[in-house]
Amino acid sequence: MSDLEDNVDDDMGTIIFPGAACPGDQDEHWLFDLADVPSFMEAEDGLPQSEIFESLFLHQHGPAPAGRTWEQTRVQSVSLSTFSWTFKKQDRATAIKLLHCRLVLHLDDDLSYQSDDDMLTWDSTKHFLDFFLVVRGSMGLHALLPNKVIDHTFSMALNLCLPTCLFWPKFSQLGFDPTSYMMAIGMGPSSELWLAFAPHENLEDLDIANDVPLLSERVHGDMRLSLSHFRMTVMFLAHTLSKNPSLFTYVMHPYGTDDDLSTWRIKDISNI
């Protein structure tokens, strides 16, 4: 034991520091009372290393749950009509009981409609999807036109100078093989507008359309129209627009200046 430990007086709670006497008082010891130590100088003992190790490595995922986890909660099937009845009757007991279960909601047959039902009017102007693909089920431009009687906010920028534009969607099902069938025609309200030349059998038979693989499987070829088909389509649209007297569109030669579509340019015979 050290000299300091030998000079501890357990009865008085004091520590005797040898050599701490005043000059000239070599035979006297100076007593220091621990009760006079200020509280701000006190410090707790350090944590044991075993407790630090346990908190760092043995409890990384938190304490074990005291009750059932979400995966252990009982699963119960509930119909939408049950929710409606519970709300109308203000049945609080049933509502509280349902909170203790994992619910699987089922729609009643009389509360659901087929997607092509006449009672439904689809509007895709407001949604929270990153990608939304609309494919027309028959020939026409209905997929890109608004399905409202009057819509003063609708506008589209027609651009028929995009023969090399690529159709980029990956996880989509067009219902037909898009190889050499896609043509970009401009921009709509926060959307891209495309013409798709689908085969008749895919439009008439939904089973054939549903069996077509997704674009992500990459079993298709180059989706851009050939140059000859692109010029045919542009000249048809230019001829159609020229029939509208409010549009300043003209076509001098609807079928071009030569049977060979590669010998003339669209801008030489139309201002489309």
Side-chain angles (χ1 to χ4, degrees):
M1 297 179 65
S2 63
D3 296 339
L4 182 60
E5 293 174 346
D6 294 338
N7 295 326
V8 175
D9 191 342
D10 295 335
D11 296 337
M12 298 182 61
T14 59
I15 300 178
I16 301 175
F17 295 92
C22 298
D25 300 334
Q26 299 296 331
D27 297 333
E28 295 183 3
H29 297 284
W30 179 58
L31 303 180
F32 183 81
D33 193 351
L34 294 178
D36 297 335
V37 177
S39 58
F40 65 86
M41 296 182 62
E42 298 178 358
E44 297 181 357
D45 295 337
L47 294 175
Q49 292 298 318
S50 59
E51 183 176 347
I52 297 176
F53 176 82
E54 184 178 357
S55 61
L56 289 177
F57 299 98
L58 302 183
H59 294 287
Q60 293 182 356
H61 303 289
R68 294 183 300 176
T69 61
W70 173 254
E71 290 76 11
Q72 297 171 343
T73 307
R74 181 170 58 90
V75 180
Q76 180 176 347
S77 300
V78 181
S79 61
L80 185 60
S81 58
T82 301
F83 278 107
S84 176
W85 181 87
T86 304
F87 176 76
K88 292 178 180 179
K89 297 297 183 179
Q90 295 294 306
D91 189 354
R92 296 179 176 83
T94 301
I96 295 175
K97 181 180 178 181
L98 293 176
L99 293 176
H100 296 277
C101 304
R102 295 169 57 188
L103 303 180
V104 178
L105 181 63
H106 293 281
L107 299 179
D108 302 84
D109 294 337
D110 58 333
L111 298 178
S112 59
Y113 296 89
Q114 297 295 328
S115 59
D116 57 350
D117 195 284
D118 295 335
M119 293 293 294
L120 299 178
T121 301
W122 293 99
D123 182 11
S124 60
T125 56
K126 295 181 179 180
H127 58 79
F128 299 95
L129 301 176
D130 295 331
F131 175 74
F132 189 77
L133 176 67
V134 179
V135 181
R136 175 64 181 169
S138 59
M139 290 188 293
L141 301 177
H142 304 79
L144 60 90
L145 297 177
N147 54 4
K148 299 179 181 179
V149 179
I150 298 176
D151 188 354
H152 298 289
T153 62
F154 175 78
S155 64
M156 59 175 293
L158 185 64
N159 188 349
L160 301 180
C161 301
L162 303 171
T164 60
C165 189
L166 296 175
F167 188 70
W168 286 109
K170 298 179 180 179
F171 302 98
S172 306
Q173 187 173 24
L174 294 175
F176 61 94
D177 185 358
T179 303
S180 301
Y181 286 158
M182 304 300 295
M183 173 183 169
I185 60 173
M187 299 292 296
S190 302
S191 60
E192 296 181 358
L193 305 180
W194 291 78
L195 282 182
F197 297 85
H200 286 284
E201 56 269 18
N202 293 67
L203 297 176
E204 297 172 354
D205 193 343
L206 291 180
D207 293 333
I208 298 178
N210 293 331
D211 292 338
V212 176
L214 297 175
L215 296 180
S216 58
E217 298 182 17
R218 298 183 179 275
V219 296
H220 55 79
D222 190 347
M223 294 181 284
R224 294 172 291 185
L225 285 180
S226 63
L227 181 59
S228 59
H229 287 129
F230 175 78
R231 290 191 175 187
M232 291 178 185
T233 306
V234 171
M235 292 310 302
F236 169 76
L237 294 176
H239 177 72
T240 303
L241 295 175
S242 65
K243 299 302 181 180
N244 190 338
S246 62
L247 299 177
F248 300 98
T249 303
Y250 67 85
V251 177
M252 294 184 293
H253 303 280
Y255 299 99
T257 58
D258 195 285
D259 293 337
D260 187 359
L261 296 176
S262 62
T263 60
W264 52 271
R265 297 178 300 177
I266 295 176
K267 67 179 182 179
D268 293 337
I269 59 177
S270 175
N271 66 337
I272 187 65

